[in-house]
Coordinates of all heavy atoms in Angstrom, one line a residue:
K21 N 121.6 -41.9 286.1 CA 121.6 -43.2 285.3 C 120.4 -43.2 284.4 O 119.4 -42.5 284.7 CB 121.5 -44.4 286.2 CG 122.6 -44.4 287.3 CD 122.3 -45.6 288.3 CE 123.4 -45.6 289.3 NZ 123.2 -46.8 290.3
P22 N 120.4 -43.9 283.3 CA 119.2 -44.0 282.4 C 117.9 -44.4 283.2 O 116.9 -43.9 282.8 CB 119.6 -45.1 281.4 CG 121.1 -44.9 281.3 CD 121.5 -44.7 282.7
E23 N 118.1 -45.2 284.2 CA 116.9 -45.6 285.0 C 116.3 -44.5 285.8 O 115.2 -44.6 286.4 CB 117.1 -46.8 285.8 CG 118.4 -46.7 286.7 CD 119.6 -47.4 286.1 OE1 119.8 -47.2 284.9 OE2 120.3 -48.1 286.9
D24 N 117.0 -43.4 285.9 CA 116.4 -42.2 286.6 C 115.5 -41.4 285.7 O 114.8 -40.5 286.1 CB 117.6 -41.3 287.0 CG 118.4 -41.9 288.1 OD1 117.9 -42.6 289.0 OD2 119.7 -41.7 288.0
T25 N 115.4 -41.8 284.4 CA 114.5 -41.1 283.5 C 113.0 -41.2 284.0 O 112.5 -42.3 284.3 CB 114.6 -41.7 282.1 OG1 115.9 -41.5 281.6 CG2 113.5 -41.1 281.2
A26 N 112.4 -40.1 284.2 CA 111.0 -40.1 284.8 C 110.6 -38.6 284.8 O 111.3 -37.7 284.6 CB 111.0 -40.6 286.2
V27 N 109.3 -38.5 285.1 CA 108.8 -37.1 285.4 C 108.9 -37.0 286.9 O 108.5 -37.9 287.7 CB 107.3 -37.0 285.0 CG1 106.8 -35.6 285.4 CG2 107.2 -37.1 283.5
Y28 N 109.5 -35.9 287.4 CA 109.7 -35.6 288.8 C 108.8 -34.6 289.3 O 108.6 -33.5 288.6 CB 111.2 -35.2 289.0 CG 112.2 -36.3 288.9 CD1 112.5 -36.9 287.6 CD2 112.8 -36.8 290.0 CE1 113.4 -37.9 287.6 CE2 113.7 -37.8 289.9 CZ 114.0 -38.4 288.7 OH 114.9 -39.4 288.6
Y29 N 108.1 -34.9 290.4 CA 107.1 -34.1 291.0 C 107.5 -33.6 292.4 O 108.0 -34.4 293.1 CB 105.8 -34.8 291.1 CG 105.2 -35.3 289.8 CD1 105.5 -36.6 289.3 CD2 104.3 -34.5 289.1 CE1 104.9 -37.0 288.1 CE2 103.7 -35.0 287.9 CZ 104.1 -36.2 287.4 OH 103.5 -36.7 286.3
C30 N 107.2 -32.4 292.7 CA 107.3 -32.0 294.1 C 105.9 -32.0 294.7 O 104.9 -31.8 294.0 CB 108.0 -30.7 294.3 SG 107.1 -29.3 293.8
A31 N 105.9 -32.2 296.0 CA 104.6 -32.3 296.7 C 104.7 -31.7 298.1 O 105.8 -31.6 298.7 CB 104.2 -33.8 296.9
A32 N 103.6 -31.2 298.6 CA 103.6 -30.5 299.9 C 102.4 -30.8 300.7 O 101.3 -31.1 300.1 CB 103.7 -29.0 299.6
R33 N 102.5 -30.7 302.0 CA 101.4 -30.8 302.9 C 101.6 -29.9 304.1 O 102.7 -29.9 304.7 CB 101.1 -32.2 303.3 CG 99.9 -32.3 304.2 CD 99.2 -33.6 304.2 NE 98.0 -33.6 305.0 CZ 97.1 -34.5 305.0 NH1 97.3 -35.6 304.2 NH2 96.1 -34.5 305.7
L34 N 100.6 -29.1 304.4 CA 100.7 -28.3 305.6 C 100.8 -29.2 306.9 O 100.1 -30.2 306.9 CB 99.4 -27.5 305.7 CG 99.4 -26.4 306.9 CD1 100.4 -25.3 306.6 CD2 98.0 -25.8 306.9
T35 N 101.7 -28.9 307.8 CA 101.8 -29.7 309.0 C 102.2 -28.9 310.2 O 102.8 -27.8 310.1 CB 103.0 -30.7 308.7 OG1 103.1 -31.6 309.9 CG2 104.3 -30.1 308.5
Y36 N 101.7 -29.4 311.3 CA 102.1 -28.7 312.6 C 103.3 -29.3 313.2 O 103.9 -28.8 314.1 CB 100.9 -28.8 313.6 CG 99.7 -28.0 313.2 CD1 98.6 -28.6 312.6 CD2 99.7 -26.6 313.3 CE1 97.5 -27.9 312.2 CE2 98.6 -25.9 312.8 CZ 97.5 -26.5 312.3 OH 96.4 -25.8 311.9
S37 N 103.7 -30.5 312.7 CA 104.9 -31.2 313.2 C 106.2 -30.6 312.5 O 106.2 -30.5 311.3 CB 104.8 -32.7 312.9 OG 106.0 -33.3 313.2
Y38 N 107.1 -30.3 313.3 CA 108.4 -29.7 312.7 C 109.3 -30.8 312.1 O 110.1 -30.6 311.2 CB 109.2 -29.0 313.8 CG 108.6 -27.6 314.0 CD1 107.6 -27.4 315.0 CD2 109.1 -26.5 313.3 CE1 107.1 -26.1 315.2 CE2 108.5 -25.2 313.5 CZ 107.6 -25.1 314.5 OH 107.0 -23.8 314.7
D39 N 109.1 -32.1 312.6 CA 110.1 -33.1 312.1 C 109.4 -34.3 311.4 O 110.2 -35.1 310.9 CB 110.8 -33.6 313.4 CG 111.6 -32.6 314.1 OD1 112.3 -31.8 313.3 OD2 111.6 -32.5 315.3
Y40 N 108.1 -34.3 311.3 CA 107.5 -35.5 310.6 C 107.7 -35.4 309.1 O 107.6 -34.3 308.5 CB 106.0 -35.5 310.9 CG 105.3 -36.6 310.2 CD1 105.4 -38.0 310.7 CD2 104.4 -36.4 309.1 CE1 104.7 -39.0 310.0 CE2 103.8 -37.4 308.5 CZ 103.9 -38.7 309.0 OH 103.3 -39.7 308.3
I41 N 108.0 -36.5 308.5 CA 108.1 -36.6 307.1 C 107.4 -37.9 306.6 O 107.2 -38.8 307.4 CB 109.6 -36.6 306.6 CG1 110.4 -37.7 307.3 CG2 110.2 -35.3 306.8 CD1 111.8 -37.8 306.8
S42 N 107.1 -38.0 305.4 CA 106.3 -39.1 304.9 C 106.9 -39.5 303.5 O 107.2 -38.6 302.7 CB 104.9 -38.8 304.8 OG 104.2 -39.9 304.2
D43 N 106.8 -40.8 303.2 CA 107.2 -41.3 301.9 C 106.0 -41.7 301.1 O 106.2 -42.3 300.0 CB 108.2 -42.5 302.0 CG 107.6 -43.7 302.8 OD1 106.5 -43.5 303.4 OD2 108.1 -44.8 302.6
K44 N 104.8 -41.5 301.5 CA 103.6 -41.9 300.9 C 103.0 -40.8 300.1 O 102.7 -39.8 300.6 CB 102.7 -42.5 301.9 CG 103.2 -43.7 302.7 CD 102.2 -44.1 303.7 CE 102.8 -45.4 304.4 NZ 104.1 -45.1 305.0
P45 N 102.7 -41.0 298.8 CA 102.1 -40.0 298.0 C 100.8 -39.5 298.5 O 100.5 -38.3 298.5 CB 101.9 -40.7 296.6 CG 102.9 -41.8 296.6 CD 103.1 -42.2 298.0
N46 N 100.0 -40.4 299.2 CA 98.7 -40.1 299.7 C 98.8 -39.1 300.9 O 97.8 -38.5 301.3 CB 97.9 -41.3 300.1 CG 97.4 -42.1 298.9 OD1 97.4 -41.6 297.8 ND2 97.0 -43.3 299.1
D47 N 100.0 -39.0 301.4 CA 100.2 -38.1 302.6 C 100.4 -36.6 302.2 O 100.6 -35.8 303.0 CB 101.3 -38.5 303.4 CG 100.9 -39.7 304.3 OD1 99.7 -40.0 304.4 OD2 101.8 -40.3 304.9
Y48 N 100.5 -36.4 300.9 CA 100.7 -35.0 300.3 C 99.4 -34.5 299.7 O 98.8 -35.3 299.0 CB 101.9 -35.0 299.4 CG 103.2 -35.3 300.1 CD1 103.6 -36.7 300.3 CD2 104.0 -34.3 300.5 CE1 104.8 -36.9 301.0 CE2 105.2 -34.6 301.2 CZ 105.6 -35.9 301.4 OH 106.7 -36.2 302.1
R49 N 99.2 -33.3 299.9 CA 97.9 -32.7 299.3 C 98.2 -31.9 298.1 O 97.3 -31.9 297.2 CB 97.3 -31.8 300.4 CG 96.0 -31.2 299.9 CD 95.3 -30.5 301.0 NE 94.0 -29.9 300.5 CZ 93.2 -29.2 301.3 NH1 93.5 -29.0 302.5 NH2 92.0 -28.8 300.8
Y50 N 99.3 -31.3 298.0 CA 99.5 -30.4 296.8 C 100.7 -30.9 296.0 O 101.7 -31.4 296.5 CB 99.9 -29.0 297.3 CG 98.8 -28.4 298.2 CD1 99.0 -28.3 299.5 CD2 97.6 -27.9 297.6 CE1 98.0 -27.7 300.3 CE2 96.6 -27.4 298.4 CZ 96.8 -27.3 299.8 OH 95.8 -26.8 300.6
W51 N 100.5 -30.8 294.6 CA 101.4 -31.4 293.7 C 101.7 -30.4 292.6 O 100.8 -29.6 292.2 CB 100.9 -32.7 293.1 CG 100.8 -33.8 294.0 CD1 99.8 -34.0 294.9 CD2 101.7 -34.8 294.2 NE1 100.0 -35.1 295.7 CE2 101.2 -35.7 295.3 CE3 102.9 -35.2 293.7 CZ2 101.9 -36.8 295.7 CZ3 103.6 -36.3 294.1 CH2 103.1 -37.1 295.1
G52 N 103.0 -30.4 292.1 CA 103.3 -29.6 291.0 C 103.0 -30.4 289.7 O 102.5 -31.5 289.7
Q53 N 103.2 -29.7 288.6 CA 102.9 -30.3 287.3 C 103.9 -31.3 286.8 O 103.7 -32.1 285.9 CB 102.7 -29.2 286.2 CG 103.9 -28.7 285.6 CD 104.8 -27.9 286.5 OE1 104.4 -27.5 287.6 NE2 106.0 -27.6 286.0
G54 N 105.1 -31.3 287.4 CA 106.1 -32.2 287.1 C 107.1 -31.6 286.1 O 106.8 -30.7 285.3
T55 N 108.3 -32.2 286.1 CA 109.4 -31.8 285.2 C 110.1 -33.1 284.7 O 110.4 -34.0 285.5 CB 110.4 -30.8 285.8 OG1 111.3 -30.4 284.8 CG2 111.2 -31.4 287.0
Q56 N 110.3 -33.1 283.4 CA 110.8 -34.3 282.8 C 112.3 -34.4 282.9 O 113.0 -33.4 282.6 CB 110.4 -34.4 281.3 CG 111.0 -35.6 280.5 CD 110.4 -36.9 280.9 OE1 109.2 -37.0 281.0 NE2 111.2 -37.9 281.1

């Protein structure tokens, strides 16, 4: 949809938990440069 227009970023964080996930940007340490 037009409202999906944005820069999309992937993010990563090293974790010892196999199943934990997070929706908070501050919980990720590494970021890509983004793709439009």
Side-chain angles (χ1 to χ4, degrees):
K21 305 175 181 180
E23 52 262 45
D24 295 320
T25 294
V27 178
Y28 284 72
Y29 300 89
C30 69
R33 179 153 185 171
L34 186 67
T35 181
Y36 292 105
S37 170
Y38 282 88
D39 298 316
Y40 178 74
I41 53 177
S42 174
D43 63 341
K44 299 177 177 56
N46 289 342
D47 281 349
Y48 292 84
R49 181 172 182 182
Y50 303 105
W51 292 82
Q53 83 289 349
T55 185
Q56 175 71 46

